Amino acid sequence: MVRDAYYTLYQLNLIAKSERRSRRPIGDELDRIRSELLNRQEHRSAHIPYLDILEFSILSCMRIGEVCKILWEDVDGKSKAVKVRDRKDPRKKEGNHMWVLLLGDAWEILQRQPKTAACIFPYNSKSVSAGFQRVRSKLGIHDLKYHDLRREGASRLFEQGFSIEEIAQVTGHRNLNTLWLIYTELYPNRVHEKFNLLQRQRGMDVERG
């Protein structure tokens, strides 16, 4: 299969994907986008809950296409998780289902959606991302894509102390090296900072002893 050959060649570094992105919202960019999206969804002709979808996308680390396909029947209330069907994988296009835990407010956002359709967010993913792009452009925010929100969510988990393996269970990455490369680009000094903090704590313990 061509798809299998592509994956093998990619693993052998004989072909490569486009340059990795490391863009995250900076400063007050997200707050400005939220404010403008609120204005957009409060318009009388609007029907897409942009704010809920934005926050859910970040907290769940899902692609917008995945968010708009989640089914109510695939919600596990006991474990506060949802089944993401056919999750993107270079080796498998269909049947790659994965249970994803909804952490923090992601579960609350899901619960407050009206059950008017089979999907929790029954909206066209292209319409959602197009609305985001129009707002971003109106605000003069450059080079920020909707997909970057997935990186933002994963980066927040990393900052909160979750391990790469734990984050991969949320993002769906099969190759941990992909996550590792992203984080070494975004946080080159993080290990040094943690080491210095542990050293200071150890010194304080010695003084107390």
Side-chain angles (χ1 to χ4, degrees):
M1 295 285 291
V2 174
R3 185 167 62 245
D4 296 332
Y6 175 87
Y7 180 75
T8 301
L9 291 171
Y10 174 66
Q11 291 296 97
L12 294 173
N13 292 321
L14 296 177
I15 59 175
K17 292 185 177 181
S18 58
E19 185 178 351
R20 291 188 303 272
R21 288 178 59 82
S22 58
R23 179 73 157 93
R24 292 179 62 184
I26 56 176
D28 64 348
E29 286 181 339
L30 263 184
D31 288 336
R32 292 166 60 205
I33 289 173
R34 288 190 185 102
S35 178
E36 194 62 36
L37 285 176
L38 178 60
N39 293 334
R40 189 178 187 84
Q41 74 179 37
E42 287 182 342
H43 193 276
R44 61 185 179 183
S45 63
H47 65 283
I48 298 177
Y50 286 104
L51 281 182
D52 275 356
I53 295 177
L54 176 83
E55 298 301 333
F56 187 87
S57 298
I58 295 174
L59 293 169
S60 67
C61 302
M62 291 184 193
R63 303 171 180 86
I64 185 58
E66 295 170 341
V67 171
C68 293
K69 288 182 179 179
I70 308 172
L71 302 173
W72 281 111
E73 65 181 62
D74 289 338
V75 176
D76 184 343
K78 186 175 181 180
S79 60
K80 294 185 178 180
V82 294
K83 182 191 291 184
V84 180
R85 295 176 179 266
D86 299 324
R87 198 152 210 190
K88 184 178 179 181
D89 189 307
R91 295 162 295 180
K92 194 174 183 181
K93 292 296 183 182
E94 296 181 354
N96 186 36
H97 306 329
M98 181 179 184
W99 284 97
V100 176
L101 297 175
L102 297 182
L103 306 178
D105 291 338
W107 178 253
E108 304 303 323
I109 293 172
L110 179 146
Q111 289 295 102
R112 65 173 175 249
Q113 302 310 307
K115 296 183 178 181
T116 56
C119 292
I120 298 169
F121 299 100
Y123 311 102
N124 188 307
S125 61
K126 292 182 179 178
S127 297
V128 176
S129 58
F132 173 86
Q133 290 167 6
R134 281 192 287 269
V135 164
R136 176 210 62 193
S137 298
K138 178 181 178 181
L139 295 171
I141 296 174
H142 303 290
D143 193 36
L144 183 65
K145 302 179 180 180
Y146 199 97
H147 190 73
D148 293 329
L149 301 180
R150 174 169 155 83
R151 181 181 302 102
E152 171 68 12
S155 298
R156 290 184 185 184
L157 293 177
F158 182 82
E159 291 168 343
Q160 292 168 20
F162 288 89
S163 68
I164 294 275
E165 292 80 6
E166 291 168 334
I167 296 171
Q169 293 181 44
V170 178
T171 63
H173 283 96
R174 302 296 186 187
N175 184 355
L176 297 184
N177 190 51
T178 301
L179 285 176
W180 175 249
L181 288 173
I182 292 172
Y183 293 137
T184 52
E185 287 179 355
L186 292 176
Y187 309 101
N189 298 316
R190 196 162 188 80
V191 175
H192 289 290
E193 292 173 357
K194 186 171 184 179
F195 176 81
N196 292 334
L197 175 61
L198 291 173
Q199 289 293 96
R200 289 194 296 271
Q201 291 176 340
R202 180 176 297 178
M204 293 173 63
D205 291 339
V206 171
E207 290 179 1
R208 293 195 190 100

